[in-house]
Amino acid sequence: MMANAIDAAEPEPANYDEAKVPAYTLPDPLVMADGRPVTNAAMWHDERRSELLQFFRTQVYGKSPPKPAKLRFEPIESDSHALGGLATRKQVAVVIGPAERAVRVNVLMYVPNNAPGPVPVFLGLNFGGNQTIHADPAIVMTTAWVRSTKKDDATVVDHRATEASRGSAASRWPAELIVRRGYALAMAYYGEIDPDFDDGFTNGVHALYPDGPRGDDAWGSIAAWAWGLSRIADYLETDRDIDSRRIAVIGHSRLGKTSLWAGATDPRFALVVSNDSGCGGAALSKRRFGESVAIINKSFPHWFCKNFRQYDDHEERLPVDQHELIALIAPRPVHVASAEEDRWADPRGEFLACKFASPVYRLLETDGLAAEEMPSLLQPVVSTVGYHIRPGKHDVTDYDWQQYLTFADEHLKESR
Ligand code: GTR
């Protein structure tokens, strides 16, 4: 790729001083770009929502293709004695695209045994392969590219997972707890959908659509991962153990950005969880606190569409902000979580995005976020837009899961 003026500029350093947050004006989600106020639900759905979705599609995450014609589901194995008898483990390959160059995404599921009927499900992507989420030796190990576990070895692009990785991310995915609470857990490895490095979009699901030059509004990796989640939802709709009207999509960090975009683009996700998603996720860009648009585009040039670079160090030019990404999910419930020490992700900016998405939730006759001020640590706000901040670092903890399960109990109690 030729370096142009935008690529070459060094991003301004990250700001961590609340006093240096620039004065900014947030766009009103209930005012059309032409200045007309949005006064009712029909106008939101038919006009304003489409306008905002189109903007995020063409200027932020990039445009994804529709559901592919070629899509099959291949059972791999199942065992009704998983997790000490609590669950049935099922592994199914979602096979996307024509046979000669199909992309295979292995879905791992734990479904509670003895459920009275189809169960709600938490669907999430993981960072290291399904084998990392539990020590269960029957989990199929990914054969796709994985990030090197050696520090500062991000350039190694042919790295493969080893046995040592089994269960290494188990603290983030408490399968037994989730199953005991009556939810299935469905997982896939994000690198099987699109390997997370800048390869010029020649691998992963991007490679299924090689025709023509890539536009500046073409889908980046976040959009590809979200599209992959929709393909897994296509599978879940066919699985009789699952109540596909109650799919909660969850993600951490870059995969939290992904779960929000998946929720915005696919209404089958009945509930959305963003764990520490930060810049390009739940955090307001215009605050420029912690990671900025320029920093993220420089570090991860493949995550967003090229058009997003227009806002590098110029967040004030953005006609949208991330509260409107949350609003695109309305009236479906969204829970946003922050961690106190995760200042890179701007916890306050994540809270404010929830708050300023709420007028849309209220127009749609839900309560939005039931807090005007940022809550204290460990004081979760439970409303249709949920929020909590806990002590500690950028991670997913049992405390976070307790909040998500309570939130889901509240909002996914029964089929709609
Ligand atoms: C960081 C990135 C964040 C966040 C995080 C992650 O390096 O700056 O935006 O996505 O990675 O996904 O772990």
Coordinates of all heavy atoms in Angstrom, one line a residue, residues 293-367:
V293 N -8.8 7.9 17.7 CA -9.0 7.3 16.3 C -7.7 7.2 15.6 O -7.5 6.2 14.9 CB -10.0 8.2 15.6 CG1 -10.2 7.8 14.1 CG2 -11.4 8.2 16.3
A294 N -6.8 8.2 15.7 CA -5.6 8.2 14.9 C -4.7 7.0 15.5 O -4.1 6.3 14.7 CB -4.8 9.5 15.0
I295 N -4.7 6.8 16.8 CA -3.8 5.8 17.4 C -4.4 4.4 16.9 O -3.6 3.5 16.5 CB -3.8 5.9 18.9 CG1 -3.1 7.2 19.3 CG2 -3.1 4.7 19.5 CD1 -3.1 7.5 20.8
I296 N -5.6 4.2 17.0 CA -6.2 2.9 16.7 C -6.0 2.6 15.2 O -5.7 1.5 14.8 CB -7.7 2.8 17.1 CG1 -8.0 1.3 17.4 CG2 -8.7 3.4 16.2 CD1 -9.3 1.1 18.1
N297 N -6.2 3.6 14.3 CA -6.1 3.3 12.9 C -4.6 3.1 12.5 O -4.3 2.3 11.6 CB -6.6 4.5 12.1 CG -8.1 4.5 11.9 OD1 -8.7 3.4 11.9 ND2 -8.7 5.7 11.8
K298 N -3.7 3.7 13.3 CA -2.3 3.5 13.0 C -1.9 2.1 13.5 O -1.2 1.3 12.8 CB -1.5 4.5 13.8 CG 0.0 4.3 13.8 CD 0.7 5.4 12.9 CE 2.2 5.0 12.9 NZ 2.9 5.6 11.9
S299 N -2.3 1.7 14.7 CA -1.9 0.4 15.2 C -2.6 -0.8 14.5 O -2.0 -1.9 14.4 CB -2.2 0.2 16.7 OG -2.1 1.4 17.4
F300 N -3.8 -0.6 14.1 CA -4.6 -1.7 13.5 C -5.3 -1.2 12.2 O -6.5 -0.9 12.2 CB -5.7 -2.1 14.5 CG -5.1 -2.5 15.9 CD1 -5.3 -1.6 17.0 CD2 -4.5 -3.7 16.1 CE1 -4.7 -1.9 18.2 CE2 -4.0 -4.0 17.4 CZ -4.1 -3.1 18.4
P301 N -4.5 -1.0 11.2 CA -5.0 -0.4 9.9 C -6.1 -1.3 9.3 O -6.8 -0.8 8.4 CB -3.8 -0.3 9.0 CG -2.7 -1.1 9.7 CD -3.0 -1.3 11.1
H302 N -6.2 -2.5 9.8 CA -7.2 -3.4 9.1 C -8.5 -3.5 9.9 O -9.4 -4.2 9.4 CB -6.6 -4.8 9.0 CG -6.1 -5.4 10.3 ND1 -5.1 -4.8 11.1 CD2 -6.5 -6.4 11.1 CE1 -4.9 -5.5 12.2 NE2 -5.8 -6.5 12.2
W303 N -8.7 -2.8 11.0 CA -9.9 -3.0 11.8 C -11.1 -2.3 11.2 O -12.2 -2.8 11.3 CB -9.7 -2.6 13.2 CG -8.9 -3.5 14.1 CD1 -8.3 -4.7 13.7 CD2 -8.6 -3.4 15.5 NE1 -7.7 -5.3 14.8 CE2 -7.9 -4.6 15.9 CE3 -8.9 -2.5 16.5 CZ2 -7.5 -4.8 17.2 CZ3 -8.5 -2.7 17.8 CH2 -7.8 -3.8 18.1
F304 N -10.8 -1.1 10.7 CA -12.0 -0.2 10.3 C -11.8 0.0 8.8 O -10.8 -0.5 8.2 CB -11.9 1.1 11.0 CG -12.0 1.0 12.5 CD1 -10.9 0.8 13.3 CD2 -13.3 1.1 13.1 CE1 -11.0 0.7 14.7 CE2 -13.4 0.9 14.5 CZ -12.2 0.8 15.3
C305 N -12.8 0.6 8.1 CA -12.7 0.9 6.7 C -11.7 2.1 6.5 O -11.5 2.9 7.5 CB -14.0 1.1 6.0 SG -14.8 2.7 6.4
K306 N -11.2 2.3 5.3 CA -10.2 3.3 5.1 C -10.8 4.7 5.4 O -10.1 5.6 5.8 CB -9.7 3.2 3.7 CG -8.3 3.6 3.6 CD -7.6 3.2 2.3 CE -6.3 3.9 2.2 NZ -5.8 3.8 0.8
N307 N -12.1 4.9 5.1 CA -12.7 6.2 5.3 C -12.5 6.7 6.7 O -12.5 7.9 6.9 CB -14.2 6.1 4.9 CG -14.4 6.2 3.4 OD1 -13.6 6.8 2.7 ND2 -15.5 5.7 3.0
F308 N -12.4 5.8 7.7 CA -12.4 6.2 9.1 C -11.1 7.0 9.3 O -11.1 7.8 10.3 CB -12.5 5.0 10.0 CG -12.8 5.2 11.4 CD1 -13.7 6.1 11.8 CD2 -12.1 4.5 12.4 CE1 -14.0 6.4 13.1 CE2 -12.4 4.7 13.8 CZ -13.3 5.7 14.1
R309 N -10.1 6.9 8.5 CA -8.8 7.6 8.7 C -9.0 9.1 8.5 O -8.1 9.9 8.9 CB -7.8 7.1 7.8 CG -7.5 5.6 8.0 CD -6.3 5.1 7.2 NE -6.4 3.6 7.1 CZ -5.6 2.9 6.4 NH1 -4.8 3.5 5.6 NH2 -5.7 1.6 6.4
Q310 N -10.1 9.5 7.9 CA -10.3 10.9 7.7 C -10.4 11.6 9.1 O -10.3 12.9 9.1 CB -11.7 11.2 7.0 CG -11.8 10.7 5.6 CD -13.2 10.8 5.2 OE1 -13.7 11.9 5.0 NE2 -13.8 9.7 4.9
Y311 N -10.7 10.9 10.1 CA -11.0 11.5 11.4 C -9.8 11.3 12.3 O -9.9 11.7 13.5 CB -12.3 10.8 12.0 CG -13.4 10.9 11.0 CD1 -13.8 9.8 10.3 CD2 -14.0 12.2 10.8 CE1 -14.8 10.0 9.3 CE2 -15.1 12.3 9.9 CZ -15.4 11.2 9.1 OH -16.4 11.3 8.2
D312 N -8.7 10.8 11.8 CA -7.5 10.7 12.6 C -7.1 12.1 13.2 O -6.9 13.1 12.4 CB -6.3 10.2 11.7 CG -6.4 8.8 11.4 OD1 -7.3 8.1 11.9 OD2 -5.4 8.3 10.7
D313 N -7.0 12.2 14.5 CA -6.7 13.5 15.2 C -7.7 14.6 14.8 O -7.4 15.8 15.0 CB -5.3 13.9 15.0 CG -4.4 13.0 15.8 OD1 -4.8 12.7 16.9 OD2 -3.2 12.7 15.4
H314 N -8.9 14.2 14.2 CA -9.9 15.2 13.9 C -11.3 14.6 14.2 O -12.2 14.6 13.4 CB -9.9 15.5 12.4 CG -8.8 16.5 12.1 ND1 -8.8 17.8 12.5 CD2 -7.6 16.3 11.5 CE1 -7.7 18.4 12.1 NE2 -6.9 17.5 11.5
E315 N -11.4 14.1 15.5 CA -12.7 13.6 15.9 C -13.8 14.6 15.9 O -15.0 14.2 15.7 CB -12.5 13.0 17.3 CG -11.7 11.7 17.5 CD -10.2 11.9 17.5 OE1 -9.7 13.0 17.3 OE2 -9.5 10.9 17.9
E316 N -13.4 15.9 15.9 CA -14.5 16.9 15.9 C -15.2 16.9 14.5 O -16.3 17.4 14.4 CB -13.9 18.3 16.2 CG -13.1 19.0 15.1 CD -11.7 18.4 14.9 OE1 -11.3 17.5 15.6 OE2 -11.0 18.8 13.9
R317 N -14.6 16.4 13.5 CA -15.2 16.3 12.2 C -16.3 15.2 12.1 O -17.0 15.1 11.1 CB -14.2 16.1 11.1 CG -13.3 17.2 10.9 CD -12.3 16.8 9.7 NE -11.2 17.8 9.6 CZ -10.1 17.5 9.1 NH1 -9.8 16.3 8.6 NH2 -9.1 18.4 9.0
L318 N -16.2 14.3 13.0 CA -17.1 13.1 13.0 C -18.6 13.5 13.1 O -18.9 14.1 14.2 CB -16.8 12.1 14.1 CG -15.8 10.9 13.8 CD1 -15.5 10.3 15.1 CD2 -16.4 9.9 12.8
P319 N -19.4 13.3 12.2 CA -20.8 13.7 12.3 C -21.6 12.7 13.2 O -22.8 12.9 13.5 CB -21.4 13.7 10.9 CG -20.5 12.8 10.1 CD -19.1 12.8 10.8
V320 N -21.0 11.6 13.7 CA -21.6 10.7 14.6 C -20.6 10.5 15.8 O -19.5 10.9 15.7 CB -21.8 9.3 14.0 CG1 -22.8 9.4 12.8 CG2 -20.5 8.6 13.6
D321 N -21.1 9.8 16.8 CA -20.2 9.3 17.9 C -20.8 8.0 18.4 O -21.8 7.6 18.0 CB -19.9 10.3 19.0 CG -18.5 10.2 19.5 OD1 -18.0 9.0 19.6 OD2 -17.9 11.2 20.0
Q322 N -20.0 7.4 19.3 CA -20.3 6.0 19.6 C -21.6 5.8 20.4 O -22.1 4.7 20.4 CB -19.1 5.3 20.3 CG -17.8 5.3 19.4 CD -18.0 4.6 18.1 OE1 -18.0 5.3 17.1 NE2 -18.0 3.3 18.1
H323 N -22.1 6.8 21.0 CA -23.5 6.7 21.6 C -24.5 6.3 20.6 O -25.5 5.6 20.9 CB -23.9 8.0 22.4 CG -24.0 9.2 21.5 ND1 -23.0 9.6 20.6 CD2 -25.0 10.1 21.3 CE1 -23.4 10.7 20.0 NE2 -24.6 11.0 20.4
E324 N -24.3 6.7 19.3 CA -25.2 6.4 18.3 C -25.0 5.0 17.8 O -26.0 4.4 17.3 CB -25.1 7.4 17.1 CG -25.6 8.8 17.6 CD -25.3 9.9 16.7 OE1 -24.1 10.0 16.3 OE2 -26.2 10.8 16.5
L325 N -23.9 4.4 18.0 CA -23.7 3.0 17.7 C -24.6 2.2 18.7 O -25.3 1.3 18.3 CB -22.2 2.6 17.9 CG -22.0 1.1 17.8 CD1 -22.2 0.5 16.4 CD2 -20.5 0.7 18.2
I326 N -24.5 2.6 20.0 CA -25.4 1.9 21.0 C -26.9 2.1 20.6 O -27.7 1.2 20.7 CB -25.1 2.4 22.4 CG1 -23.6 2.0 22.8 CG2 -26.1 1.9 23.4 CD1 -23.1 2.6 24.1
A327 N -27.2 3.3 20.2 CA -28.6 3.6 19.9 C -29.1 2.8 18.7 O -30.3 2.5 18.7 CB -28.7 5.1 19.5
L328 N -28.2 2.4 17.8 CA -28.6 1.5 16.7 C -29.2 0.2 17.2 O -29.9 -0.5 16.5 CB -27.5 1.3 15.8 CG -27.0 2.4 14.9 CD1 -25.8 2.1 14.1 CD2 -28.2 2.8 13.9
I329 N -28.8 -0.2 18.4 CA -29.3 -1.5 19.0 C -30.6 -1.3 19.6 O -31.4 -2.3 19.8 CB -28.2 -2.0 20.0 CG1 -26.9 -2.2 19.3 CG2 -28.6 -3.3 20.6 CD1 -25.7 -2.4 20.2
A330 N -31.0 -0.1 20.0 CA -32.3 0.1 20.7 C -33.5 -0.4 19.9 O -33.5 -0.4 18.6 CB -32.5 1.6 20.8
P331 N -34.5 -0.9 20.6 CA -34.7 -1.0 22.0 C -34.2 -2.2 22.7 O -34.4 -2.5 23.8 CB -36.2 -1.0 22.1 CG -36.7 -1.8 20.9 CD -35.7 -1.4 19.8
R332 N -33.3 -3.0 21.9 CA -32.8 -4.2 22.5 C -31.8 -3.8 23.7 O -31.1 -2.8 23.5 CB -32.1 -5.1 21.5 CG -33.1 -5.7 20.5 CD -32.4 -6.3 19.3 NE -31.9 -5.2 18.4 CZ -30.8 -5.2 17.7 NH1 -30.0 -6.3 17.8 NH2 -30.5 -4.2 17.0
P333 N -31.7 -4.6 24.7 CA -30.9 -4.3 25.8 C -29.4 -4.4 25.5 O -28.9 -5.3 24.8 CB -31.2 -5.4 26.9 CG -32.1 -6.4 26.2 CD -32.6 -5.8 25.0
V334 N -28.6 -3.5 26.0 CA -27.2 -3.5 25.9 C -26.6 -3.3 27.3 O -27.0 -2.4 28.0 CB -26.7 -2.2 25.1 CG1 -25.2 -2.2 24.9 CG2 -27.3 -2.2 23.7
H335 N -25.5 -4.0 27.6 CA -24.8 -3.8 28.9 C -23.4 -3.5 28.5 O -22.7 -4.2 27.8 CB -24.8 -5.1 29.8 CG -24.4 -4.8 31.1 ND1 -25.2 -4.7 32.2 CD2 -23.1 -4.6 31.6 CE1 -24.5 -4.4 33.3 NE2 -23.2 -4.3 33.0
V336 N -22.9 -2.4 29.0 CA -21.5 -1.9 28.8 C -20.8 -2.0 30.1 O -21.3 -1.5 31.2 CB -21.5 -0.5 28.3 CG1 -20.1 0.1 28.2 CG2 -22.2 -0.4 26.9
A337 N -19.6 -2.6 30.1 CA -18.8 -2.7 31.3 C -17.4 -2.1 31.1 O -16.8 -2.2 30.0 CB -18.6 -4.1 31.7
S338 N -16.9 -1.4 32.2 CA -15.6 -0.8 32.1 C -14.8 -1.4 33.3 O -15.4 -1.9 34.3 CB -15.7 0.7 32.3 OG -16.6 1.3 31.5
A339 N -13.5 -1.2 33.3 CA -12.6 -1.6 34.4 C -11.8 -0.3 34.8 O -11.4 0.4 33.9 CB -11.7 -2.7 34.0
E340 N -11.7 -0.1 36.1 CA -11.2 1.2 36.6 C -9.8 1.5 36.0 O -9.5 2.6 35.7 CB -11.1 1.1 38.1 CG -10.7 2.4 38.8 CD -10.5 2.2 40.3 OE1 -10.3 1.1 40.8 OE2 -10.5 3.2 41.0
E341 N -8.9 0.4 36.0 CA -7.6 0.7 35.5 C -7.4 0.7 34.0 O -6.3 0.9 33.5 CB -6.6 -0.4 36.1 CG -6.5 -0.3 37.6 CD -5.7 -1.4 38.2 OE1 -4.7 -1.9 37.6 OE2 -6.1 -1.9 39.3
D342 N -8.5 0.4 33.3 CA -8.5 0.4 31.9 C -8.7 1.7 31.3 O -9.6 2.0 30.5 CB -9.5 -0.6 31.4 CG -9.5 -0.9 29.9 OD1 -8.4 -0.7 29.3 OD2 -10.5 -1.5 29.4
R343 N -7.8 2.7 31.6 CA -8.0 4.1 31.1 C -7.8 4.2 29.6 O -8.4 5.1 29.0 CB -7.1 5.0 32.0 CG -7.5 4.9 33.4 CD -6.4 5.5 34.3 NE -6.5 7.0 34.3 CZ -5.4 7.8 34.1 NH1 -4.2 7.3 33.9 NH2 -5.6 9.1 34.0
W344 N -7.1 3.3 29.0 CA -6.9 3.3 27.6 C -8.3 3.2 26.9 O -8.5 3.8 25.8 CB -6.0 2.1 27.3 CG -5.6 1.8 25.9 CD1 -6.0 0.7 25.1 CD2 -4.8 2.6 25.0 NE1 -5.4 0.8 23.9 CE2 -4.7 2.0 23.8 CE3 -4.1 3.9 25.2 CZ2 -3.9 2.5 22.7 CZ3 -3.4 4.4 24.2 CH2 -3.3 3.7 23.0
A345 N -9.2 2.5 27.5 CA -10.5 2.4 26.9 C -11.5 3.4 27.4 O -12.7 3.4 27.0 CB -11.1 1.0 27.3
D346 N -11.1 4.4 28.2 CA -11.9 5.5 28.6 C -13.3 5.1 29.3 O -14.3 5.3 28.7 CB -12.2 6.5 27.5 CG -12.9 7.8 27.9 OD1 -12.9 8.0 29.2 OD2 -13.4 8.5 27.0
P347 N -13.2 4.6 30.5 CA -14.4 4.2 31.2 C -15.5 5.3 31.2 O -16.7 5.0 31.0 CB -14.0 3.9 32.6 CG -12.6 3.4 32.4 CD -12.0 4.2 31.3
R348 N -15.1 6.5 31.5 CA -16.1 7.6 31.5 C -16.7 7.8 30.2 O -18.0 8.0 30.1 CB -15.4 8.9 32.0 CG -16.4 10.0 32.2 CD -15.8 11.2 33.0 NE -16.8 12.2 33.0 CZ -17.9 12.2 33.8 NH1 -18.1 11.2 34.6 NH2 -18.8 13.2 33.7
G349 N -16.0 7.7 29.1 CA -16.5 7.8 27.8 C -17.5 6.7 27.4 O -18.4 6.9 26.7
E350 N -17.2 5.5 28.0 CA -18.1 4.4 27.8 C -19.5 4.7 28.5 O -20.5 4.4 28.0 CB -17.5 3.1 28.3 CG -16.2 2.7 27.5 CD -15.7 1.4 27.8 OE1 -15.6 1.0 29.0 OE2 -15.4 0.6 26.9
F351 N -19.3 5.2 29.8 CA -20.6 5.5 30.5 C -21.4 6.6 29.8 O -22.6 6.5 29.6 CB -20.2 6.0 31.9 CG -21.4 6.6 32.6 CD1 -22.4 5.9 33.2 CD2 -21.5 8.0 32.7 CE1 -23.5 6.4 33.7 CE2 -22.6 8.6 33.2 CZ -23.6 7.8 33.8
L352 N -20.7 7.6 29.3 CA -21.4 8.7 28.7 C -22.1 8.3 27.4 O -23.2 8.8 27.1 CB -20.5 9.9 28.4 CG -20.0 10.6 29.7 CD1 -18.9 11.7 29.3 CD2 -21.2 11.3 30.4
A353 N -21.5 7.4 26.7 CA -22.1 6.9 25.5 C -23.4 6.2 25.8 O -24.4 6.3 25.1 CB -21.2 5.9 24.7
C354 N -23.4 5.4 26.9 CA -24.7 4.8 27.4 C -25.7 5.9 27.7 O -26.9 5.8 27.3 CB -24.5 4.0 28.6 SG -23.4 2.5 28.3
K355 N -25.3 6.9 28.4 CA -26.2 7.9 28.8 C -26.8 8.6 27.6 O -28.0 8.9 27.5 CB -25.5 8.9 29.7 CG -26.2 10.1 30.1 CD -25.5 11.0 31.1 CE -26.1 12.3 31.2 NZ -25.7 13.1 32.4
F356 N -26.0 9.0 26.6 CA -26.5 9.8 25.5 C -27.1 8.9 24.4 O -27.7 9.5 23.5 CB -25.3 10.7 25.0 CG -25.0 11.7 26.0 CD1 -23.7 11.8 26.6 CD2 -25.9 12.7 26.3 CE1 -23.4 12.7 27.5 CE2 -25.6 13.7 27.3 CZ -24.3 13.7 27.9
A357 N -27.1 7.6 24.6 CA -27.9 6.7 23.7 C -29.3 6.6 24.2 O -30.2 6.3 23.5 CB -27.3 5.3 23.6
S358 N -29.5 7.0 25.5 CA -30.7 6.7 26.2 C -32.0 7.4 25.6 O -33.1 6.9 25.6 CB -30.6 7.0 27.7 OG -29.7 6.0 28.2
P359 N -31.8 8.7 25.1 CA -33.0 9.3 24.5 C -33.7 8.4 23.4 O -34.9 8.4 23.3 CB -32.5 10.6 24.0 CG -31.3 10.9 24.8 CD -30.7 9.6 25.2
V360 N -32.9 7.7 22.7 CA -33.5 6.8 21.7 C -34.2 5.7 22.3 O -35.3 5.3 22.0 CB -32.4 6.3 20.7 CG1 -33.0 5.3 19.7 CG2 -31.7 7.5 20.0
Y361 N -33.6 5.1 23.4 CA -34.3 4.0 24.1 C -35.6 4.5 24.7 O -36.6 3.8 24.7 CB -33.4 3.5 25.2 CG -32.4 2.4 24.7 CD1 -31.2 2.8 24.1 CD2 -32.7 1.1 24.7 CE1 -30.3 1.9 23.6 CE2 -31.8 0.1 24.3 CZ -30.7 0.5 23.7 OH -29.8 -0.4 23.2
R362 N -35.6 5.7 25.2 CA -36.8 6.3 25.8 C -37.9 6.5 24.7 O -39.1 6.3 24.9 CB -36.5 7.5 26.6 CG -35.7 7.2 27.8 CD -35.6 8.2 28.9 NE -34.6 7.8 29.8 CZ -33.4 8.4 29.9 NH1 -33.1 9.5 29.1 NH2 -32.5 7.9 30.7
L363 N -37.5 7.1 23.5 CA -38.4 7.3 22.4 C -39.1 5.9 22.1 O -40.3 5.9 21.7 CB -37.7 7.8 21.2 CG -38.6 8.1 20.0 CD1 -39.4 9.4 20.2 CD2 -37.8 8.2 18.7
L364 N -38.3 4.8 22.2 CA -38.8 3.5 21.9 C -39.5 2.8 23.1 O -39.6 1.6 23.2 CB -37.7 2.6 21.3 CG -37.1 3.2 20.0 CD1 -36.0 2.3 19.5 CD2 -38.1 3.5 18.9
E365 N -39.8 3.7 24.1 CA -40.6 3.2 25.3 C -39.9 2.2 26.1 O -40.5 1.2 26.6 CB -42.0 2.7 24.8 CG -42.8 3.9 24.3 CD -44.1 3.5 23.7 OE1 -44.5 2.3 23.7 OE2 -44.7 4.4 23.1
T366 N -38.6 2.4 26.3 CA -37.9 1.6 27.3 C -37.2 2.7 28.2 O -37.3 3.9 28.0 CB -36.8 0.7 26.8 OG1 -35.7 1.5 26.3 CG2 -37.3 -0.2 25.7
D367 N -36.5 2.2 29.3 CA -36.0 3.1 30.3 C -34.6 3.7 29.9 O -34.2 4.6 30.6 CB -36.1 2.5 31.7 CG -35.3 1.2 31.8 OD1 -34.9 0.7 30.7 OD2 -35.2 0.7 32.9

